[in-house]
Amino acid sequence: MTLDDLRTFVAVCRHGNLTAVARELACTQSAVSQHVRRLERETGLDLLERLPRGVAPTEAGRILHAAAAEGLAGLDLALRRLRDLRDGRGGTVRIATGATTVRHFMTGAILEFRRRHPHTSLEFQTESSSRTCLAAVEAGGADLAWVTIGDPVRGIEQRPVAALRWMLAVRRGDPLAERAELRLGDLAGIHHIRLPETSTSRVRLDTHLAAHGIRPPATTGVADWDTAKLLAELGLGHAVVPDLPDPSRAADGPLRLIPITGLPPLTVGWAARRWQALAPAAREFADFVESSA
C-alpha cells in the first residue's frame, strides 16, 4: 500500500468515475484500476462497487476513504509548509470562496494581511457553492473555505462569523419599495431572481419559504447575489438576498433593500479541516476577516 494508491483511491471516491480520475492524474484508466486492485488485495475486501455509470465505495471503501482523505490532507499541508521553510518562502494561504465573498467580506483583511505579510501569497479558488468549497478543503485543495454554515460535516470544523438578515432587493419606485419591512406572505406571486439550484444559500432559502407554503414561480436565474441585485435595480424582478456588507451602496441610490421578517438569518463563516493545524498565517487571515465582518 503506497501513498499513490491512497491518493488515487481518494480521487476515485471523490469523482465516482475512473476515467475522470485518469484525466485528473494524467494517467491511463488501467493504471487507476491497478492502484485500487492493489488496495483490495492488501485489505482482502472489495472497496468499490461497480455501477452502470461509474463506481461508489463499499462500506469497507467508505471506512478507508474517510481515514485516507483526512490523513493525506494533513500530510499534504505539512509537506507544503516544509517546502516553504526549505525554500525560504512565506508560504501560501489557499481560500475557497463564492463569487462575491472577496468583495463583500475580505477587501480590508486582504490589504491588512499584505501589509503585515508581504512575502506570503493569498490564493483564491472560486467555487459555485458551499458544498464545493467544503469539498476543496476536504481534498486538500484549500486551507480555508468561506461557506454558509450548516449541519456538521465529518472531518471539517466550521466557525460562524456573521449572521445575515434576508432582504428583498427592489427598484426604487416599485410598489414594495416604500415598505419599512416585509412579511413572508409578501413574497408570494412576485417574480424572483435567484441563484442556481446548486447554491447552498438558495437551498436554505427555498426550504424556509416552502415550509410557509411559498413556492416561487418561474424565475430568472443568476450566478451570484451581486448580479441578482443588479437585475432587481434594473426592474427585471425582485431578489431575496442576504444583507451583505457593501460600503459602496448609497442610501439614496436606485436600489432598495427591505428587511424580511420571519426568515432565520443566513449564517456564514469559515471551514477548515482542523483549525489548530492551520498555518499561523492562515489563522491570522481568518481572524482579520472575522474582525472586519
Side-chain angles (χ1 to χ4, degrees), residues 25 64 81 92 101 106 118 133 136 145 152 173 211 213 220 224 240 242 277 288:
L25 301 180
L64 180 61
R81 292 173 66 181
T92 301
T101 297
M106 300 184 183
C133 285
T220 300
D224 57 71
V240 180
F288 285 158

Side-chain angles (χ1 to χ4, degrees), residues 28-48:
T28 65
Q29 185 173 327
S30 175
V32 173
S33 297
Q34 288 174 15
H35 285 293
V36 175
R37 283 198 297 269
R38 185 155 49 231
L39 290 173
E40 290 181 326
R41 284 197 301 270
E42 293 199 28
T43 60
L45 294 165
D46 290 333
L47 300 176
L48 293 177

